[in-house]
Amino acid sequence: MEVSGKICLHETDAALYQEKEGTYIMDNFTFYAPTYFVFGKDTENETGKYVKKFGGSRVLLHYGGGSAVRSGLLDRVKKSLDKEGLAYVELGGVKPNPRSGLVYEGIDLCRKEKADFILAIGGGSTIDSAKAIAAGAIYDGDFWDYYQGKIVEEALPLGTITTISAAGSEGSPDSVITKEEGMYKRSTTGEALRPKFTIMNPALTETLPPYQTACGITDIIAHLYERYLTNTKEVEVTDRMIEGLLLTMIHEGPRVIADPHNYEARANIMWAGMMAHNNSCGVGRTQDWTSHDIEHELSAEYDCAHGAGLAVVMPAVFTYNLKHNVMRFAQAAVRVWGCEMNFENPEETAKAGIEALRRFLKSIGMPGSLKELGAKEEDIEKMAHTACYGDVRTGTLGGFVELKQKDVENIYRLML
Amino acid sequence: MEVSGKICLHETDAALYQEKEGTYIMDNFTFYAPTYFVFGKDTENETGKYVKKFGGSRVLLHYGGGSAVRSGLLDRVKKSLDKEGLAYVELGGVKPNPRSGLVYEGIDLCRKEKADFILAIGGGSTIDSAKAIAAGAIYDGDFWDYYQGKIVEEALPLGTITTISAAGSEGSPDSVITKEEGMYKRSTTGEALRPKFTIMNPALTETLPPYQTACGITDIIAHLYERYLTNTKEVEVTDRMIEGLLLTMIHEGPRVIADPHNYEARANIMWAGMMAHNNSCGVGRTQDWTSHDIEHELSAEYDCAHGAGLAVVMPAVFTYNLKHNVMRFAQAAVRVWGCEMNFENPEETAKAGIEALRRFLKSIGMPGSLKELGAKEEDIEKMAHTACYGDVRTGTLGGFVELKQKDVENIYRLML
């Protein structure tokens, strides 16, 4: 399952909010998203042209399991590289929740073969692994430094051929890797990690099993909610964009689960997935990322699919945080989930929206409890501790509500 | 009035639609929007830093009338250039519906002074004029060649400090210039014209008279409708994004008219204006641009503000084209304007949406008829002829409905 998630380290995350003359104002921000997107049927046959355009001559082809081989995709890509006279070496074997071991292998291979361009063929896991290799290959120290808080300022150029709509990594500067020692799942960011180009052919996602498709849909929904849950007031434009993208997912998600060969539905989901995470709908506002942080412990511990983990985590987090801002959850309920506003009791509406999300996720085949993920009650304390104190953490998490270990434990218990 | 508009020459415009196995599918497309946006209060003080980042050392400062001088903006920008040790020359005097004469002047000045970077301080007119200079300064022929259908492949690098939320030129590869001989208002495009950076401080728009603010709001709404009116089916994601941005304009527009110093409302409008026109909500679908083409004759002939012209043109065009796709207009009516769907008579709903748009534009102070623009009935035939046959045109216009001269005349008559 090549479904991966990002936590977001944009500038806007740092400040919870600015208080100015008694009101909240939109945060100052910068936005720079210079990836060249090539979208549509058969576009993978142009890969060589774009590698050349962005300066590659010796390419590391990085991919996951056998599906890129079996489907003939890898052969088509190689053919297009051959056509442009480009050299390449291969490194397959990326697993979901990609590991540091393969990253070290990729770094060594790049150096040995003098690769000057990394091409990721796959979903978020493959792209994230490729990003780690791109940064590590030209860094003197241990690449893991970047996942301990160091910003990536230099990396080999990188292109992607996206085969799963989910992570948004194809248009983002972020990467999430799990370190095998300690099983820490951590993220990094840096403009140098943004892919130079991304090839998006929705037809390539048609061969995914429905469960993986549903995991991707869930991840995209989570990227939108993580931005929606903000303490910044008066951010109508990004609210409305997020709501529009959520409505798209609610419309297209069930259609693609019902008919995997619905190209239009897959195309809409693919573009929504990119827009959900390139941060054009997250600028100028604080963001949450609690659900991602809490989920990362589950996928690190039980190796479950990130999207499946998020399906269990989100309703619990939202229920726990509901009273922090009832009207925000009510707004989502009304505008996104079509709930009637209960003007006498907005909390009822807010809850109805969370219930609608829960039903939707169940309807596309996602799990609803820790048990379904294979997670155990006795691990809760440990996971909550790692989420709050592990590695670079300092005791709390959450951009929307500041949560301590006890809160996180309570949230995990809501998932039982 | 520095309010200008673009017509859009993206790849997707060329093909009206692709027919595939009896259905319509999302068009293949490329999307590349590498402008670096710097958004927020006081960000103009960092101008010098960004000119330097993008390789400028000798800058042509291009601006409009006296407001950039009076407000002190020009001084603050110069100070930030001085701080970085950058040289500059100045060329003010850009008028709304910017003219070819000043462009030629700018080209000469750039060559004489060996300028290597153009900095536009103003709204769409100034930015469009700066783009024409940037392209012309390093082109051997007449810059007007580019406005006759030649794509711009090379130009001096360009930055902008946006003082009006309207044209979207700050994030687009397009430019519209009026040639004084014949008063042809024509457009060009080319990736080389995309600004390297754009500084957006919503507070800079606070000094605009309400009429100009309303013109900008109208232009943004038009950029959204031009993309919304499509013959491509199944483009939910871009539909929803457009609807979200329109809802933002409906919410924020009246707030900023009521209180020009509402920073939040201006910030939301500013980001919506950029998103409305960087084409992320227009990819993969045919677009219309009828209203812009019909309006350009009005502003070329009567020198009215582009936004004011659009306010008169849009309801007439939509009414005339309504029967081409009643359900599309009904969708806008329900999702954007909050109309109740009349399931027995969807056309009633579609019309109600257009009426709601008309009322909205009136409420923010926009004109509603040719008379209010100072246009004359006896000019209609000539304008319709120029719109359809003038310059590079070949007898029809419109990406949604193909319109001939008689249709365009009928549309102008609806505005009487």
Side-chain angles (χ1 to χ4, degrees):
Chain A
M1 288 156 294
E2 295 196 338
V3 180
S4 163
K6 320 265 90 34
I7 74 162
C8 182
L9 294 166
H10 296 281
E11 291 176 34
T12 43
D13 295 357
L16 262 187
Y17 50 78
Q18 291 185 294
E19 199 157 335
K20 179 98 182 176
E21 290 162 21
T23 66
Y24 304 92
I25 66 159
M26 198 190 276
D27 296 336
N28 282 14
F29 63 86
T30 61
F31 178 75
Y32 185 48
T35 300
Y36 194 105
F37 294 99
V38 184
F39 190 103
K41 282 203 171 168
D42 304 324
T43 46
E44 67 274 18
N45 298 323
E46 297 174 51
T47 306
K49 190 177 100 185
Y50 288 103
V51 170
K52 211 165 184 177
K53 182 182 164 92
F54 289 99
S57 62
R58 296 181 65 83
V59 182
L60 175 72
L61 285 177
H62 198 39
Y63 51 90
S67 74
V69 180
R70 280 194 309 276
S71 68
L73 171 61
L74 194 64
D75 279 342
R76 293 201 297 285
V77 171
K78 286 180 186 173
K79 213 170 136 186
S80 91
L81 297 176
D82 288 337
K83 208 174 132 195
E84 302 290 336
L86 302 167
Y88 49 83
V89 289
E90 294 177 41
L91 181 64
V94 183
K95 297 252 176 338
N97 306 314
R99 306 288 176 89
S100 52
L102 196 68
V103 172
Y104 288 116
E105 214 177 302
I107 291 170
D108 289 345
L109 188 61
C110 272
R111 289 175 179 170
K112 189 177 138 224
E113 300 287 342
K114 302 197 176 12
D116 58 12
F117 198 95
I118 318 285
L119 186 60
I121 306 173
S125 298
T126 302
I127 301 171
D128 284 7
S129 182
K131 286 176 174 176
I133 294 170
I138 56 169
Y139 176 58
D140 285 340
D142 182 348
F143 92 91
W144 190 251
D145 292 350
Y146 289 124
Y147 294 77
Q148 302 262 297
K150 186 176 163 72
I151 301 289
V152 180
E153 282 176 1
E154 260 193 317
L156 287 180
L158 173 98
T160 90
I161 299 169
T162 309
T163 60
I164 304 180
S165 303
S169 189
E170 67 275 10
S172 87
D174 310 317
S175 164
V176 182
I177 298 288
T178 299
K179 190 173 191 178
E180 275 135 332
E181 295 158 31
M183 292 310 279
Y184 290 126
K185 189 169 182 177
R186 292 293 178 264
S187 71
T188 192
T189 193
E191 286 305 328
L193 294 184
R194 266 201 214 259
K196 298 295 174 202
F197 71 84
T198 279
I199 288 180
M200 303 172 103
N201 175 358
L204 295 179
T205 69
E206 284 182 26
T207 53
L208 280 179
Y211 184 76
Q212 285 184 37
T213 297
C215 284
I217 290 166
T218 307
D219 197 14
I220 294 169
I221 289 173
H223 290 160
L224 293 162
Y225 265 103
E226 300 281 24
R227 293 179 164 89
Y228 199 70
L229 297 174
T230 183
N231 293 313
T232 313
K233 303 286 181 199
E234 304 264 2
V235 281
E236 179 83 356
V237 64
T238 37
D239 269 5
R240 290 289 188 182
M241 285 170 63
I242 294 170
E243 289 158 2
L245 292 167
L246 281 170
L247 285 162
T248 304
M249 298 310 295
I250 294 168
H251 179 72
E252 302 295 359
R255 286 174 12 120
V256 82
I257 296 296
D259 172 13
H261 301 294
N262 187 330
Y263 178 87
E264 277 66 50
R266 290 201 178 269
N268 279 289
I269 288 173
M270 201 165 219
W271 194 243
M274 195 287 287
M275 290 302 305
H277 202 49
N278 84 343
N279 213 33
S280 55
C281 66
V283 291
R285 55 200 285 152
T286 68
Q287 302 180 7
D288 187 10
W289 301 96
T290 298
S291 295
H292 271 69
D293 282 350
I294 290 182
E295 192 295 314
H296 282 171
E297 300 309 320
L298 292 172
S299 46
E301 185 75 22
Y302 306 107
D303 210 17
C304 60
H306 174 58
L310 284 168
V312 176
V313 169
M314 277 192 287
V317 170
F318 301 168
T319 301
Y320 195 81
N321 284 346
L322 185 136
K323 290 206 192 230
H324 177 68
N325 188 341
V326 167
M327 280 305 189
R328 183 132 284 265
F329 287 101
Q331 181 178 307
V334 171
R335 292 188 184 171
V336 176
W337 296 103
C339 302
E340 280 278 340
M341 179 67 186
N342 184 335
F343 292 93
E344 291 197 355
N345 188 350
E347 195 172 320
E348 287 295 312
T349 309
K351 284 181 181 161
I354 298 170
E355 275 316 297
L357 168 66
R358 199 194 299 267
R359 277 196 306 276
F360 175 85
L361 294 171
K362 193 176 173 196
S363 77
I364 60 170
M366 285 287 93
S369 68
L370 284 187
K371 201 174 149 192
E372 289 169 77
L373 290 175
K376 301 185 200 93
E377 188 171 357
E378 57 263 37
D379 293 335
I380 284 179
E381 200 182 321
K382 189 184 105 190
M383 288 192 295
H385 186 267
T386 314
C388 292
Y389 292 98
D391 211 15
V392 291
R393 300 279 162 72
T394 54
T396 61
L397 57 82
F400 186 55
V401 182
E402 193 175 87
L403 300 170
K404 302 213 167 95
Q405 183 181 333
K406 272 284 167 235
D407 299 304
V408 176
E409 283 177 31
N410 290 337
I411 289 170
Y412 279 123
R413 280 184 218 292
L414 287 178
M415 305 174 208
L416 285 171
Chain B
M1 287 154 290
E2 293 197 334
V3 179
S4 163
K6 317 272 83 40
I7 74 163
C8 182
L9 294 166
H10 295 281
E11 291 174 37
T12 43
D13 295 357
L16 264 186
Y17 49 79
Q18 289 185 295
E19 197 158 336
K20 179 97 180 176
E21 292 161 20
T23 67
Y24 305 91
I25 65 160
M26 197 189 276
D27 296 336
N28 283 12
F29 64 84
T30 60
F31 178 76
Y32 185 49
T35 300
Y36 194 106
F37 294 98
V38 184
F39 191 105
K41 283 204 169 163
D42 303 324
T43 46
E44 68 273 17
N45 298 324
E46 298 174 50
T47 306
K49 189 177 101 184
Y50 289 102
V51 170
K52 210 165 184 177
K53 179 181 166 92
F54 290 99
S57 62
R58 295 181 67 81
V59 182
L60 174 72
L61 284 177
H62 197 39
Y63 53 91
S67 74
V69 180
R70 281 194 308 276
S71 67
L73 171 60
L74 194 64
D75 279 342
R76 293 201 296 284
V77 171
K78 285 180 187 173
K79 210 168 140 189
S80 89
L81 296 176
D82 289 337
K83 206 173 133 195
E84 302 290 337
L86 301 168
Y88 49 83
V89 288
E90 292 179 41
L91 181 63
V94 184
K95 298 251 175 337
N97 305 315
R99 306 290 176 88
S100 51
L102 197 68
V103 172
Y104 288 116
E105 215 176 301
I107 290 171
D108 289 345
L109 188 60
C110 272
R111 289 174 181 171
K112 191 177 138 222
E113 299 288 343
K114 300 195 174 21
D116 59 10
F117 198 95
I118 318 286
L119 186 61
I121 306 173
S125 297
T126 301
I127 300 171
D128 283 7
S129 182
K131 286 176 175 177
I133 294 170
I138 56 168
Y139 176 57
D140 285 339
D142 182 349
F143 93 90
W144 190 251
D145 293 351
Y146 289 124
Y147 294 76
Q148 301 263 296
K150 190 177 160 72
I151 301 289
V152 180
E153 283 176 359
E154 261 193 320
L156 288 179
L158 173 100
T160 91
I161 299 168
T162 309
T163 61
I164 304 181
S165 303
S169 190
E170 67 276 10
S172 89
D174 310 317
S175 163
V176 182
I177 297 288
T178 300
K179 190 174 192 180
E180 275 133 333
E181 295 158 31
M183 293 309 278
Y184 290 126
K185 188 168 182 177
R186 292 293 178 263
S187 70
T188 193
T189 192
E191 286 305 328
L193 294 183
R194 267 201 214 259
K196 299 294 174 203
F197 71 83
T198 278
I199 288 180
M200 304 172 102
N201 175 357
L204 295 180
T205 71
E206 283 181 29
T207 54
L208 281 178
Y211 184 77
Q212 285 183 38
T213 297
C215 284
I217 290 166
T218 308
D219 197 14
I220 294 168
I221 289 173
H223 290 160
L224 293 163
Y225 265 104
E226 300 281 23
R227 292 179 165 88
Y228 198 70
L229 297 175
T230 184
N231 293 312
T232 313
K233 304 286 182 196
E234 305 264 1
V235 282
E236 179 83 358
V237 63
T238 38
D239 270 5
R240 289 290 188 183
M241 285 169 65
I242 294 170
E243 289 158 1
L245 293 167
L246 281 170
L247 285 161
T248 303
M249 298 310 296
I250 294 168
H251 179 72
E252 302 293 0
R255 287 175 9 122
V256 81
I257 296 296
D259 173 12
H261 301 294
N262 186 329
Y263 178 86
E264 278 66 50
R266 291 201 176 269
N268 279 288
I269 289 173
M270 201 165 219
W271 193 243
M274 195 288 288
M275 289 302 304
H277 202 49
N278 84 343
N279 212 34
S280 56
C281 65
V283 291
R285 54 199 286 152
T286 69
Q287 301 180 9
D288 187 10
W289 300 97
T290 298
S291 296
H292 272 69
D293 282 349
I294 289 182
E295 192 294 312
H296 282 170
E297 299 309 319
L298 292 171
S299 47
E301 186 73 22
Y302 307 107
D303 210 18
C304 61
H306 173 59
L310 284 169
V312 176
V313 169
M314 276 193 288
V317 169
F318 301 168
T319 301
Y320 195 80
N321 284 346
L322 184 137
K323 292 211 190 222
H324 177 67
N325 189 342
V326 167
M327 281 305 190
R328 182 133 285 266
F329 286 102
Q331 182 178 307
V334 171
R335 292 189 185 170
V336 175
W337 296 104
C339 302
E340 279 277 340
M341 179 66 185
N342 182 335
F343 292 92
E344 290 195 358
N345 188 350
E347 196 173 319
E348 288 295 313
T349 310
K351 284 179 182 162
I354 298 171
E355 276 314 300
L357 168 65
R358 199 194 300 267
R359 277 197 306 275
F360 175 84
L361 293 171
K362 195 176 172 193
S363 77
I364 60 171
M366 285 288 94
S369 67
L370 285 186
K371 203 174 148 191
E372 288 168 78
L373 290 176
K376 299 184 202 96
E377 190 172 358
E378 56 264 36
D379 294 335
I380 284 179
E381 201 181 322
K382 188 184 108 192
M383 288 193 294
H385 186 268
T386 314
C388 291
Y389 293 98
D391 212 16
V392 291
R393 299 279 161 75
T394 55
T396 62
L397 56 80
F400 185 54
V401 182
E402 193 175 85
L403 300 170
K404 301 212 168 90
Q405 186 181 332
K406 273 285 166 230
D407 299 305
V408 176
E409 283 177 30
N410 289 337
I411 289 170
Y412 279 123
R413 281 185 217 291
L414 287 177
M415 305 174 207
L416 284 171

